[in-house]
Amino acid sequence: MRTPVEGVHYLVRRSEEVLDALPVAATDRAAAAELPPWRAVEHAASRTLLRALLREIGEDLRGGPVAALPSGRPYLPDRPDLGVSLSHSSGWVAVAVGRNRDVGVDVQAPYAVGERMLRLCCAPGDAEALSGMPEARRRREFAWIFTVQEACVKAVGAGFSGRPWSVPVALGQRRGEWGRGDGERVGWCAPRGPEPVPAGCAWTEREVPGGVPTGGRRWR
């Protein structure tokens, strides 16, 4: 478990490891049974890991539901004071929890990236540096950048409509802050180092006791 700032926690694990080591709650198993097999694994693993993280920080749901709004963003009907976020990519799952604030998490298995995507998401100098890297390193370094961008827009409930590529993240940067035009500020981290897969976590800086700060906006 990582705790980048007080009250914010996240975990990243392989789906198969989660399902091998932890029991799936009955409500999550029932929901997964209605999904295609590949989606069922992601669904069960992400929610099982979320419940494990909640137990680790002393917030056991005790079988309570992990629900989702029509947009797909998860929330906890029994705990509106806890913001949650889920992500999955190529057999990996990531989950985040924030006390009295919204959070966003994203995990990304590196993939091939074209020049247009590099120019869209990165500063000109960083895009040029990425273009000159060996393929494997370029994929991984870009994934670190894009996971942060995705996590930030998830944290404010905007999703892809929040234009994640507009979030400034420098090549190699591990921590930062995104200041939106509406005055809301989002902190983020991307630890790098020995992490097995790129993942980023973001959180709203403004805390509101007793409730989710963004009025319950959710995004998967």
Side-chain angles (χ1 to χ4, degrees):
M1 177 180 72
R2 287 189 175 270
T3 303
V5 68
E6 185 177 357
V8 174
H9 314 274
Y10 73 100
L11 275 173
V12 182
R13 295 286 187 273
R14 281 198 174 276
S15 297
E16 60 187 28
E17 293 174 358
V18 173
L19 297 178
D20 286 345
L22 299 169
V24 179
T27 53
D28 299 335
R29 188 182 302 108
E34 300 178 1
L35 301 171
W38 65 271
R39 184 69 184 92
V41 170
E42 294 174 344
H43 182 98
S46 60
R47 282 150 183 80
T48 300
L49 186 61
L50 175 61
R51 291 178 188 277
L53 176 56
L54 287 165
R55 288 193 297 272
E56 191 168 344
I57 65 172
E59 301 287 0
D60 195 343
L61 283 184
R62 301 186 185 280
V66 179
L69 293 184
S71 64
R73 185 173 183 174
Y75 71 103
L76 307 178
D78 296 341
R79 293 299 306 272
D81 57 314
L82 297 176
V84 298
S85 183
L86 309 173
S87 180
H88 46 76
S89 175
S90 300
W92 291 91
V93 289
V95 300
V97 176
R99 288 191 173 99
N100 298 316
R101 67 176 90 203
D102 272 335
V103 292
V105 71
D106 195 69
V107 62
Q108 183 66 250
Y111 61 92
V113 184
E115 292 294 323
R116 183 175 179 277
M117 192 69 171
L118 292 179
R119 292 193 301 271
L120 177 65
C121 298
C122 306
D126 288 345
E128 183 176 354
L130 285 163
S131 295
M133 291 180 182
E135 178 67 18
R137 186 184 174 197
R138 177 169 63 250
R139 292 184 181 194
R140 188 171 177 82
E141 289 298 324
F142 178 79
W144 277 113
I145 291 172
F146 199 64
T147 56
V148 169
Q149 294 174 327
E150 285 274 17
C152 284
V153 296
K154 286 182 177 182
V156 299
F160 210 70
S161 65
R163 304 175 72 245
W165 52 86
S166 67
V167 178
V169 181
L171 182 62
Q173 189 177 356
R174 298 185 179 215
R175 296 185 70 93
E177 190 177 75
W178 175 39
R180 303 180 67 207
D182 60 3
E184 187 167 18
R185 305 194 73 80
V186 175
W188 62 262
C189 74
R192 298 176 178 264
E195 298 294 321
V197 67
C201 181
W203 55 90
T204 53
E205 295 286 6
R206 178 169 53 98
E207 294 189 43
V208 179
V212 177
T214 58
R217 289 179 300 178
R218 305 291 181 184
W219 185 261
R220 172 178 171 281

